[in-house]
Amino acid sequence: MRYEVDFLVVGSGIAGLSFALKVAPYGKVCILTKGAADEGSTRYAQGGIAAVMYDSDSFDKHIHDTLVAGDGICDREVVEMTIREAPDRIRELVQYGVNFDRDSSGGHFDLHREGGHSEFRILHHKDNTGEEIERGLLEAARSHPNIEIKERQFAIDIITQHHLGQRVTKHTPGIECYGVYALDCDTNRIDTYLAKVTLLATGGMGNVYSTTTTPVISTGDGVAMVHRARGVLSDLEFMQFHPTSLYNPAEKPAFLITEAMRGAGAVLKDRDGREFMQKYDKRLSLAPRDIVARAIDNEMKLSGKDYLYLDARGIGKKHLIEGFPTIYAKCLSIGIDITRDMIPIRPAAHYQCGGIKVDRNGESSIKYLYAAGECSCTGLHGGNRLASNSLLEAVVYAHNAAMDAIESVKGVPFKNEVPDWNAEGMVLNEEMVLITQTKRELQEIMWNYVGIVRSDLRLQRAFDRLNLIFRETEDLYNRSVLTEPLSELRNLIACAYLIIKMARARRENVGLHYSLDLIEKKV
Ligand SMILES: Cc1cc2nc3c(=O)[nH]c(=O)nc-3n(C[C@H](O)[C@H](O)[C@H](O)COP(=O)(O)OP(=O)(O)OC[C@H]3O[C@@H](n4cnc5c(N)ncnc54)[C@H](O)[C@@H]3O)c2cc1C
């Protein structure tokens, strides 16, 4: 089937939905999403969204905290713009119907504080902020007459001059996007979506690693598509590992224990119940994520244990049950009463700071192609994302991209000469085990050699192992009918390759990139 839409959006998390709502008055919008519409990292976000809402805080402080977390390599102008725009975007979320908790008078927002923040500035909805944001935005989008949401539609590749038979390399000037090819997961048919403007809002790539807090849909599809289309990507060596995911080995994704809990007074302890953060940073359990994750990784390696503890008992029973109801209920469901027991935790891949390189308007290096949310790289996070700045970045850049796209959509024709997908000669691959097993292998390689602590040798080993997996999978791809699992596997391999490549190129320890071979070079 062929479809024509003014604005094509791939992804229905906070970034895709925010963009769609903004452009909808100006044309027909189609949102493709590979699972259920509400499935994505957005709905798992617990802590909240950072913004300076009152005089007790200041833009300068939030800017400073963001720059410090980013370890000196944020784009300062982007940081300033994002943080100054934040209050307007928060007010819009409220207008769309999102509820943030308010203080007991019901007037001011109730603000939390998280690691790396010098002030209380995290707007939240209990400890399930993302679920509330997703609910509010999805309801608004579903009731808009110009927005169509199509579930179980898997975008495979963005369409460029390459699909018109032209040779496209990363040096080709003026690469353009004409839409996407997408797999209908129910019929296995590949459809052509022609669009005047396309936004990728495909989220993160946490599933490159064996332990991750991100949902199974986070397979780096947008990044891999842009890589194949020869677009510019950046900063992928900066994968953020959340220090505290609940240790419950059989569970995927790993359940997150929000940083807000440490903000409220929970402390990290070793298996003997002793605090250890004093050995690593004077901010103790409230040090930025990269420092805390490395400290936990080191303690686990020294002791040979596969989890440590977060002790939240000092927060008090009432505050724990009322302030962290989701975590309380989750832990209780596996026999841990957090008002009495310490919580077993370990780090997990959590957030990709890098991605599709975009300018201030959210436009990628490919014309008519925008990106927003976790799949993009704006320069806000630098070497490390400050907690709760990612939902903020997603709404700010969805807004900027929408404003720009509303202008650039004018006068752009559909590229009708784009051919349909050619699946001739392909056979259905019955060997599912090849895909599932390869995925597992890939995730283990990345966890073991390209994780929190790296070295030249580990990166080389990962690269060599990956090469074999890449060749085997491309061979499978070249003779098989395309399916969602195969496409995801190819995308994960592409993302892993890019992470390793960028990690090898980064010759200093900065932010989240930490190599044993570069320790002495740290200034
Ligand atoms: C457990 C957890 C807690 C977090 N807590 C916080 C927090 O408190 N504060 C904060 O700021 N950030 C937090 N984050 C990070 C934040 O939630 C994410 O960065 C953000 O929600 C990403 O939004 P998004 O719109 O970019 O992508 P997502 O919400 O991940 O949405 C991606 C969308 O793209 C679709 N998609 C992907 N690939 C394809 C494809 N090939 N074809 C079609 N559709 C596709 C998916 O189906 C989905 O709809 C947390 C993340 C996790 C995992």
mmCIF file with all atom_site columns, all heavy atoms in Angstrom, residues 247 271 296-308:
data_model
loop_
_atom_site.group_PDB
_atom_site.id
_atom_site.type_symbol
_atom_site.label_atom_id
_atom_site.label_alt_id
_atom_site.label_comp_id
_atom_site.label_asym_id
_atom_site.label_entity_id
_atom_site.label_seq_id
_atom_site.pdbx_PDB_ins_code
_atom_site.Cartn_x
_atom_site.Cartn_y
_atom_site.Cartn_z
_atom_site.occupancy
_atom_site.B_iso_or_equiv
_atom_site.pdbx_formal_charge
_atom_site.auth_seq_id
_atom_site.auth_comp_id
_atom_site.auth_asym_id
_atom_site.auth_atom_id
_atom_site.pdbx_PDB_model_num
ATOM 1   N N   . TYR A 1 247 ? 17.478 -5.577  41.481 1.00 0.00 ? 247 TYR A N   1
ATOM 2   C CA  . TYR A 1 247 ? 18.101 -6.851  41.113 1.00 0.00 ? 247 TYR A CA  1
ATOM 3   C C   . TYR A 1 247 ? 17.047 -7.949  41.166 1.00 0.00 ? 247 TYR A C   1
ATOM 4   O O   . TYR A 1 247 ? 16.608 -8.373  42.232 1.00 0.00 ? 247 TYR A O   1
ATOM 5   C CB  . TYR A 1 247 ? 19.253 -7.175  42.068 1.00 0.00 ? 247 TYR A CB  1
ATOM 6   C CG  . TYR A 1 247 ? 19.885 -8.511  41.761 1.00 0.00 ? 247 TYR A CG  1
ATOM 7   C CD1 . TYR A 1 247 ? 20.706 -8.676  40.660 1.00 0.00 ? 247 TYR A CD1 1
ATOM 8   C CD2 . TYR A 1 247 ? 19.635 -9.624  42.572 1.00 0.00 ? 247 TYR A CD2 1
ATOM 9   C CE1 . TYR A 1 247 ? 21.267 -9.894  40.359 1.00 0.00 ? 247 TYR A CE1 1
ATOM 10  C CE2 . TYR A 1 247 ? 20.201 -10.854 42.280 1.00 0.00 ? 247 TYR A CE2 1
ATOM 11  C CZ  . TYR A 1 247 ? 21.012 -10.981 41.169 1.00 0.00 ? 247 TYR A CZ  1
ATOM 12  O OH  . TYR A 1 247 ? 21.571 -12.200 40.868 1.00 0.00 ? 247 TYR A OH  1
ATOM 13  N N   . ARG A 1 271 ? 27.219 -5.260  50.658 1.00 0.00 ? 271 ARG A N   1
ATOM 14  C CA  . ARG A 1 271 ? 26.470 -6.440  51.084 1.00 0.00 ? 271 ARG A CA  1
ATOM 15  C C   . ARG A 1 271 ? 26.551 -6.670  52.583 1.00 0.00 ? 271 ARG A C   1
ATOM 16  O O   . ARG A 1 271 ? 25.766 -7.431  53.151 1.00 0.00 ? 271 ARG A O   1
ATOM 17  C CB  . ARG A 1 271 ? 26.954 -7.669  50.315 1.00 0.00 ? 271 ARG A CB  1
ATOM 18  C CG  . ARG A 1 271 ? 26.541 -7.645  48.851 1.00 0.00 ? 271 ARG A CG  1
ATOM 19  C CD  . ARG A 1 271 ? 25.059 -7.918  48.687 1.00 0.00 ? 271 ARG A CD  1
ATOM 20  N NE  . ARG A 1 271 ? 24.762 -9.319  48.862 1.00 0.00 ? 271 ARG A NE  1
ATOM 21  C CZ  . ARG A 1 271 ? 24.885 -10.230 47.912 1.00 0.00 ? 271 ARG A CZ  1
ATOM 22  N NH1 . ARG A 1 271 ? 25.259 -9.870  46.703 1.00 0.00 ? 271 ARG A NH1 1
ATOM 23  N NH2 . ARG A 1 271 ? 24.622 -11.491 48.154 1.00 0.00 ? 271 ARG A NH2 1
ATOM 24  N N   . ILE A 1 296 ? 29.511 1.653   42.116 1.00 0.00 ? 296 ILE A N   1
ATOM 25  C CA  . ILE A 1 296 ? 28.809 0.384   42.364 1.00 0.00 ? 296 ILE A CA  1
ATOM 26  C C   . ILE A 1 296 ? 29.484 -0.743  41.569 1.00 0.00 ? 296 ILE A C   1
ATOM 27  O O   . ILE A 1 296 ? 29.736 -1.833  42.092 1.00 0.00 ? 296 ILE A O   1
ATOM 28  C CB  . ILE A 1 296 ? 27.313 0.495   41.973 1.00 0.00 ? 296 ILE A CB  1
ATOM 29  C CG1 . ILE A 1 296 ? 26.619 1.500   42.891 1.00 0.00 ? 296 ILE A CG1 1
ATOM 30  C CG2 . ILE A 1 296 ? 26.622 -0.860  42.042 1.00 0.00 ? 296 ILE A CG2 1
ATOM 31  C CD1 . ILE A 1 296 ? 25.183 1.801   42.515 1.00 0.00 ? 296 ILE A CD1 1
ATOM 32  N N   . ASP A 1 297 ? 29.814 -0.438  40.313 1.00 0.00 ? 297 ASP A N   1
ATOM 33  C CA  . ASP A 1 297 ? 30.485 -1.429  39.455 1.00 0.00 ? 297 ASP A CA  1
ATOM 34  C C   . ASP A 1 297 ? 31.788 -1.886  40.124 1.00 0.00 ? 297 ASP A C   1
ATOM 35  O O   . ASP A 1 297 ? 32.082 -3.086  40.193 1.00 0.00 ? 297 ASP A O   1
ATOM 36  C CB  . ASP A 1 297 ? 30.775 -0.771  38.094 1.00 0.00 ? 297 ASP A CB  1
ATOM 37  C CG  . ASP A 1 297 ? 31.318 -1.763  37.073 1.00 0.00 ? 297 ASP A CG  1
ATOM 38  O OD1 . ASP A 1 297 ? 30.582 -2.683  36.725 1.00 0.00 ? 297 ASP A OD1 1
ATOM 39  O OD2 . ASP A 1 297 ? 32.483 -1.605  36.632 1.00 0.00 ? 297 ASP A OD2 1
ATOM 40  N N   . ASN A 1 298 ? 32.537 -0.930  40.633 1.00 0.00 ? 298 ASN A N   1
ATOM 41  C CA  . ASN A 1 298 ? 33.817 -1.250  41.277 1.00 0.00 ? 298 ASN A CA  1
ATOM 42  C C   . ASN A 1 298 ? 33.609 -2.094  42.536 1.00 0.00 ? 298 ASN A C   1
ATOM 43  O O   . ASN A 1 298 ? 34.290 -3.103  42.750 1.00 0.00 ? 298 ASN A O   1
ATOM 44  C CB  . ASN A 1 298 ? 34.562 0.041   41.610 1.00 0.00 ? 298 ASN A CB  1
ATOM 45  C CG  . ASN A 1 298 ? 36.018 -0.223  41.907 1.00 0.00 ? 298 ASN A CG  1
ATOM 46  O OD1 . ASN A 1 298 ? 36.662 -0.998  41.219 1.00 0.00 ? 298 ASN A OD1 1
ATOM 47  N ND2 . ASN A 1 298 ? 36.539 0.397   42.958 1.00 0.00 ? 298 ASN A ND2 1
ATOM 48  N N   . GLU A 1 299 ? 32.647 -1.683  43.376 1.00 0.00 ? 299 GLU A N   1
ATOM 49  C CA  . GLU A 1 299 ? 32.365 -2.438  44.603 1.00 0.00 ? 299 GLU A CA  1
ATOM 50  C C   . GLU A 1 299 ? 31.922 -3.862  44.281 1.00 0.00 ? 299 GLU A C   1
ATOM 51  O O   . GLU A 1 299 ? 32.296 -4.814  44.961 1.00 0.00 ? 299 GLU A O   1
ATOM 52  C CB  . GLU A 1 299 ? 31.278 -1.732  45.426 1.00 0.00 ? 299 GLU A CB  1
ATOM 53  C CG  . GLU A 1 299 ? 31.715 -0.420  46.054 1.00 0.00 ? 299 GLU A CG  1
ATOM 54  C CD  . GLU A 1 299 ? 32.756 -0.600  47.180 1.00 0.00 ? 299 GLU A CD  1
ATOM 55  O OE1 . GLU A 1 299 ? 32.547 -1.482  48.027 1.00 0.00 ? 299 GLU A OE1 1
ATOM 56  O OE2 . GLU A 1 299 ? 33.763 0.141   47.183 1.00 0.00 ? 299 GLU A OE2 1
ATOM 57  N N   . MET A 1 300 ? 31.111 -3.990  43.221 1.00 0.00 ? 300 MET A N   1
ATOM 58  C CA  . MET A 1 300 ? 30.645 -5.332  42.837 1.00 0.00 ? 300 MET A CA  1
ATOM 59  C C   . MET A 1 300 ? 31.815 -6.186  42.362 1.00 0.00 ? 300 MET A C   1
ATOM 60  O O   . MET A 1 300 ? 31.915 -7.363  42.689 1.00 0.00 ? 300 MET A O   1
ATOM 61  C CB  . MET A 1 300 ? 29.567 -5.234  41.737 1.00 0.00 ? 300 MET A CB  1
ATOM 62  C CG  . MET A 1 300 ? 28.201 -4.836  42.291 1.00 0.00 ? 300 MET A CG  1
ATOM 63  S SD  . MET A 1 300 ? 26.972 -4.380  41.049 1.00 0.00 ? 300 MET A SD  1
ATOM 64  C CE  . MET A 1 300 ? 26.936 -5.792  40.001 1.00 0.00 ? 300 MET A CE  1
ATOM 65  N N   . LYS A 1 301 ? 32.725 -5.554  41.587 1.00 0.00 ? 301 LYS A N   1
ATOM 66  C CA  . LYS A 1 301 ? 33.879 -6.320  41.077 1.00 0.00 ? 301 LYS A CA  1
ATOM 67  C C   . LYS A 1 301 ? 34.799 -6.712  42.231 1.00 0.00 ? 301 LYS A C   1
ATOM 68  O O   . LYS A 1 301 ? 35.289 -7.835  42.286 1.00 0.00 ? 301 LYS A O   1
ATOM 69  C CB  . LYS A 1 301 ? 34.624 -5.501  40.032 1.00 0.00 ? 301 LYS A CB  1
ATOM 70  C CG  . LYS A 1 301 ? 33.836 -5.431  38.733 1.00 0.00 ? 301 LYS A CG  1
ATOM 71  C CD  . LYS A 1 301 ? 34.692 -5.090  37.536 1.00 0.00 ? 301 LYS A CD  1
ATOM 72  C CE  . LYS A 1 301 ? 33.907 -5.308  36.258 1.00 0.00 ? 301 LYS A CE  1
ATOM 73  N NZ  . LYS A 1 301 ? 33.462 -4.059  35.645 1.00 0.00 ? 301 LYS A NZ  1
ATOM 74  N N   . LEU A 1 302 ? 35.030 -5.769  43.165 1.00 0.00 ? 302 LEU A N   1
ATOM 75  C CA  . LEU A 1 302 ? 35.918 -6.056  44.293 1.00 0.00 ? 302 LEU A CA  1
ATOM 76  C C   . LEU A 1 302 ? 35.379 -7.198  45.156 1.00 0.00 ? 302 LEU A C   1
ATOM 77  O O   . LEU A 1 302 ? 36.119 -8.050  45.633 1.00 0.00 ? 302 LEU A O   1
ATOM 78  C CB  . LEU A 1 302 ? 36.081 -4.807  45.169 1.00 0.00 ? 302 LEU A CB  1
ATOM 79  C CG  . LEU A 1 302 ? 36.942 -3.670  44.600 1.00 0.00 ? 302 LEU A CG  1
ATOM 80  C CD1 . LEU A 1 302 ? 36.914 -2.453  45.529 1.00 0.00 ? 302 LEU A CD1 1
ATOM 81  C CD2 . LEU A 1 302 ? 38.375 -4.145  44.386 1.00 0.00 ? 302 LEU A CD2 1
ATOM 82  N N   . SER A 1 303 ? 34.050 -7.177  45.340 1.00 0.00 ? 303 SER A N   1
ATOM 83  C CA  . SER A 1 303 ? 33.465 -8.176  46.242 1.00 0.00 ? 303 SER A CA  1
ATOM 84  C C   . SER A 1 303 ? 33.022 -9.442  45.515 1.00 0.00 ? 303 SER A C   1
ATOM 85  O O   . SER A 1 303 ? 32.695 -10.450 46.152 1.00 0.00 ? 303 SER A O   1
ATOM 86  C CB  . SER A 1 303 ? 32.254 -7.568  46.959 1.00 0.00 ? 303 SER A CB  1
ATOM 87  O OG  . SER A 1 303 ? 31.278 -7.231  46.006 1.00 0.00 ? 303 SER A OG  1
ATOM 88  N N   . GLY A 1 304 ? 32.981 -9.372  44.161 1.00 0.00 ? 304 GLY A N   1
ATOM 89  C CA  . GLY A 1 304 ? 32.524 -10.523 43.384 1.00 0.00 ? 304 GLY A CA  1
ATOM 90  C C   . GLY A 1 304 ? 31.019 -10.757 43.507 1.00 0.00 ? 304 GLY A C   1
ATOM 91  O O   . GLY A 1 304 ? 30.511 -11.801 43.112 1.00 0.00 ? 304 GLY A O   1
ATOM 92  N N   . LYS A 1 305 ? 30.302 -9.771  44.028 1.00 0.00 ? 305 LYS A N   1
ATOM 93  C CA  . LYS A 1 305 ? 28.842 -9.933  44.183 1.00 0.00 ? 305 LYS A CA  1
ATOM 94  C C   . LYS A 1 305 ? 28.122 -9.352  42.968 1.00 0.00 ? 305 LYS A C   1
ATOM 95  O O   . LYS A 1 305 ? 28.631 -8.448  42.316 1.00 0.00 ? 305 LYS A O   1
ATOM 96  C CB  . LYS A 1 305 ? 28.351 -9.177  45.427 1.00 0.00 ? 305 LYS A CB  1
ATOM 97  C CG  . LYS A 1 305 ? 29.134 -9.468  46.691 1.00 0.00 ? 305 LYS A CG  1
ATOM 98  C CD  . LYS A 1 305 ? 28.782 -10.820 47.258 1.00 0.00 ? 305 LYS A CD  1
ATOM 99  C CE  . LYS A 1 305 ? 29.469 -11.019 48.608 1.00 0.00 ? 305 LYS A CE  1
ATOM 100 N NZ  . LYS A 1 305 ? 29.550 -12.404 49.013 1.00 0.00 ? 305 LYS A NZ  1
ATOM 101 N N   . ASP A 1 306 ? 26.913 -9.873  42.704 1.00 0.00 ? 306 ASP A N   1
ATOM 102 C CA  . ASP A 1 306 ? 26.209 -9.316  41.549 1.00 0.00 ? 306 ASP A CA  1
ATOM 103 C C   . ASP A 1 306 ? 25.109 -8.331  41.927 1.00 0.00 ? 306 ASP A C   1
ATOM 104 O O   . ASP A 1 306 ? 24.324 -7.917  41.070 1.00 0.00 ? 306 ASP A O   1
ATOM 105 C CB  . ASP A 1 306 ? 25.692 -10.416 40.602 1.00 0.00 ? 306 ASP A CB  1
ATOM 106 C CG  . ASP A 1 306 ? 25.063 -11.558 41.335 1.00 0.00 ? 306 ASP A CG  1
ATOM 107 O OD1 . ASP A 1 306 ? 24.834 -11.413 42.545 1.00 0.00 ? 306 ASP A OD1 1
ATOM 108 O OD2 . ASP A 1 306 ? 24.795 -12.601 40.695 1.00 0.00 ? 306 ASP A OD2 1
ATOM 109 N N   . TYR A 1 307 ? 25.045 -7.937  43.176 1.00 0.00 ? 307 TYR A N   1
ATOM 110 C CA  . TYR A 1 307 ? 24.182 -6.803  43.543 1.00 0.00 ? 307 TYR A CA  1
ATOM 111 C C   . TYR A 1 307 ? 24.660 -6.194  44.855 1.00 0.00 ? 307 TYR A C   1
ATOM 112 O O   . TYR A 1 307 ? 25.388 -6.835  45.624 1.00 0.00 ? 307 TYR A O   1
ATOM 113 C CB  . TYR A 1 307 ? 22.710 -7.207  43.630 1.00 0.00 ? 307 TYR A CB  1
ATOM 114 C CG  . TYR A 1 307 ? 22.370 -8.195  44.719 1.00 0.00 ? 307 TYR A CG  1
ATOM 115 C CD1 . TYR A 1 307 ? 22.044 -7.766  46.012 1.00 0.00 ? 307 TYR A CD1 1
ATOM 116 C CD2 . TYR A 1 307 ? 22.360 -9.565  44.460 1.00 0.00 ? 307 TYR A CD2 1
ATOM 117 C CE1 . TYR A 1 307 ? 21.727 -8.678  47.011 1.00 0.00 ? 307 TYR A CE1 1
ATOM 118 C CE2 . TYR A 1 307 ? 22.050 -10.479 45.451 1.00 0.00 ? 307 TYR A CE2 1
ATOM 119 C CZ  . TYR A 1 307 ? 21.736 -10.028 46.729 1.00 0.00 ? 307 TYR A CZ  1
ATOM 120 O OH  . TYR A 1 307 ? 21.438 -10.930 47.719 1.00 0.00 ? 307 TYR A OH  1
ATOM 121 N N   . LEU A 1 308 ? 24.242 -4.938  45.083 1.00 0.00 ? 308 LEU A N   1
ATOM 122 C CA  . LEU A 1 308 ? 24.499 -4.258  46.362 1.00 0.00 ? 308 LEU A CA  1
ATOM 123 C C   . LEU A 1 308 ? 23.144 -3.800  46.896 1.00 0.00 ? 308 LEU A C   1
ATOM 124 O O   . LEU A 1 308 ? 22.108 -4.266  46.421 1.00 0.00 ? 308 LEU A O   1
ATOM 125 C CB  . LEU A 1 308 ? 25.446 -3.071  46.149 1.00 0.00 ? 308 LEU A CB  1
ATOM 126 C CG  . LEU A 1 308 ? 26.817 -3.382  45.544 1.00 0.00 ? 308 LEU A CG  1
ATOM 127 C CD1 . LEU A 1 308 ? 27.621 -2.099  45.394 1.00 0.00 ? 308 LEU A CD1 1
ATOM 128 C CD2 . LEU A 1 308 ? 27.609 -4.382  46.390 1.00 0.00 ? 308 LEU A CD2 1
#
